[in-house]
Amino acid sequence: MKLGWRVVEFLVGAALALPGTAAAQGPSESYPAKPVRVVVGLAPGGATDIQTRLFAQKLSESLGRSFVVENRTGAGGTVAYAYVAKSPPDGYTLLGVAGGYTITPVVYAKLSYDPVKDFAPISLVAQAPFLLLTHPSLPVKSVKELLALARARPGALDCASAGYGTSTHMAFELFKALSGVKITHVPYKGTGQSLVDVMSGQVHMLFGNVLSSLPHVRAGRLRALGVTTARRSAVLPELPTLAESGVPGYENSTWHGWLAPAGTPVAVLARLNAELVRSARAQDVVERLAPDGGEPVGSTSEEFARFIATDMARWSKLVKETGIRFD
């Protein structure tokens, strides 16, 4: 996939589907006139599912119709992406996505949908850092000490992930590329077992989300060395960023946003965007996101389009420069 041109296509296509453009307008006053499905490509109970349900509930309350979350799992989320891409563009089938959405185009050579042309961005609603975590027995208490140990013992340390091509795998590959260290990748089939094996000491380290890993950090079963975002986390302000700890330029996060099938009426997209932005800034949502390290965003559709395009280009560049394999 030639993502340089794909980025341009995405931004142009998104612009044509956003409020204030020349695209055809559709009625929004009566929307929604029936329940809305919000499809998620990951299993119930995970961070993407939880955040989608949080915002779906807010929209159900504000718009007076049920926003029902439907989990369609398989193939790293692509089953759900393909399903929504082929759904009628009427605003009644939407898609809740996370970081994996921008990674799949570089993992899968062939997709049954076009991640650029088949969707209209609605809003990036929240972001949260990953934590760089180690087993407490590893003799390091900072990112700089970890880097020194990895350089002294090339290939001896290993890092777990939720599987090839997952957001935790790419967080690790970005860390390895920017730091220049040689650490062995140990892929799992999901976050749960990778977390268990690092806590048991079978694997040295992993990148984990705050939701699933923070309780283990506080219990002493894992040691957190840093956060992956550009700024320190309000939940763990004592933890430095990776960028300030010896890995210049490192910035990565887990995020959550909503998409609609391309061709959805502009007025419907505008109403959904307004409600999602309002929900992201609601005090109860801010308070619900905070313990998980999440921060509300509530972007415009245009901002979300640029975010997706930039993220896709970044992962494509990383794979091309490093020769990452996904099998």
Side-chain angles (χ1 to χ4, degrees):
M1 181 175 291
K2 297 179 180 179
L3 280 184
W5 284 107
R6 307 295 271 177
V7 169
V8 174
E9 288 176 349
F10 191 85
L11 292 174
V12 172
L16 293 175
L18 296 174
T21 69
Q25 299 292 319
S28 65
E29 293 78 7
S30 61
Y31 175 85
K34 61 181 181 179
V36 178
R37 287 186 301 168
V38 188
V39 180
V40 175
L42 300 173
T48 303
D49 176 73
I50 290 171
Q51 291 198 4
T52 302
R53 291 180 188 277
L54 172 64
F55 283 91
Q57 179 60 37
K58 295 297 292 184
L59 265 62
S60 297
E61 295 169 0
S62 65
L63 292 176
R65 295 285 182 178
S66 295
F67 280 69
V68 182
V69 176
E70 179 180 311
N71 299 86
R72 287 180 172 258
T73 61
T78 59
V79 169
Y81 306 158
Y83 175 78
V84 175
K86 294 173 175 58
S87 296
D90 55 9
Y92 291 98
T93 303
L94 307 175
L95 181 65
V97 294
Y101 181 80
T102 55
I103 295 172
T104 50
V106 303
V107 177
Y108 296 92
K110 294 183 179 179
L111 295 171
S112 61
Y113 64 93
D114 190 311
V116 172
K117 295 181 179 179
D118 289 345
F119 295 95
I122 303 173
S123 182
L124 173 67
V125 294
Q127 286 182 285
F130 287 111
L131 303 180
L132 174 53
L133 304 154
T134 64
H135 187 267
S137 66
L138 197 68
V140 299
K141 293 186 177 180
S142 69
V143 175
K144 289 182 179 179
E145 289 181 1
L146 175 65
L147 294 174
L149 182 63
R151 287 168 181 144
R153 300 165 55 189
L157 301 185
D158 46 32
C159 182
S161 81
Y164 286 112
T166 60
S167 55
T168 53
H169 175 205
M170 299 305 280
F172 161 66
E173 293 289 354
L174 183 62
F175 175 79
K176 194 169 65 168
L178 292 177
S179 65
V181 296
K182 185 177 181 182
I183 298 175
T184 303
H185 177 222
V186 183
Y188 286 79
K189 293 183 177 180
T191 300
Q193 192 57 48
S194 65
L195 201 60
V196 168
D197 279 7
V198 175
M199 287 191 291
S200 69
Q202 294 185 55
V203 185
H204 296 115
M205 57 184 280
L206 85 162
F207 285 84
N209 63 57
V210 177
L211 175 64
S212 61
S213 56
L214 186 56
H216 302 299
V217 172
R218 288 176 171 161
R221 292 185 288 268
L222 291 170
R223 177 178 291 146
L225 302 184
V227 297
T228 62
T229 40
R231 294 179 294 131
R232 293 194 181 201
S233 168
V235 178
L236 295 162
E238 72 280 6
L239 278 185
T241 67
L242 299 193
E244 67 181 289
S245 303
V247 192
Y250 194 103
E251 181 180 357
N252 189 26
S253 67
T254 176
W255 53 267
H256 176 62
W258 285 35
L259 302 170
T264 299
V266 170
V268 170
L269 293 174
R271 185 160 200 197
L272 287 167
N273 174 267
E275 294 301 327
L276 285 171
V277 170
R278 185 178 295 112
S279 297
R281 295 170 183 172
Q283 189 59 35
D284 60 329
V285 171
V286 173
E287 291 174 356
R288 174 60 188 85
L289 292 173
D292 303 334
E295 296 184 2
V297 179
S299 76
T300 66
S301 298
E302 296 95 330
E303 288 167 343
F304 192 25
R306 288 193 293 270
F307 177 90
I308 291 174
T310 300
D311 221 35
M312 288 174 63
R314 173 174 61 158
W315 296 130
S316 177
K317 182 173 182 287
L318 179 67
V319 170
K320 185 180 296 184
E321 291 179 350
T322 61
I324 300 168
R325 294 182 59 86
F326 297 105
D327 52 29

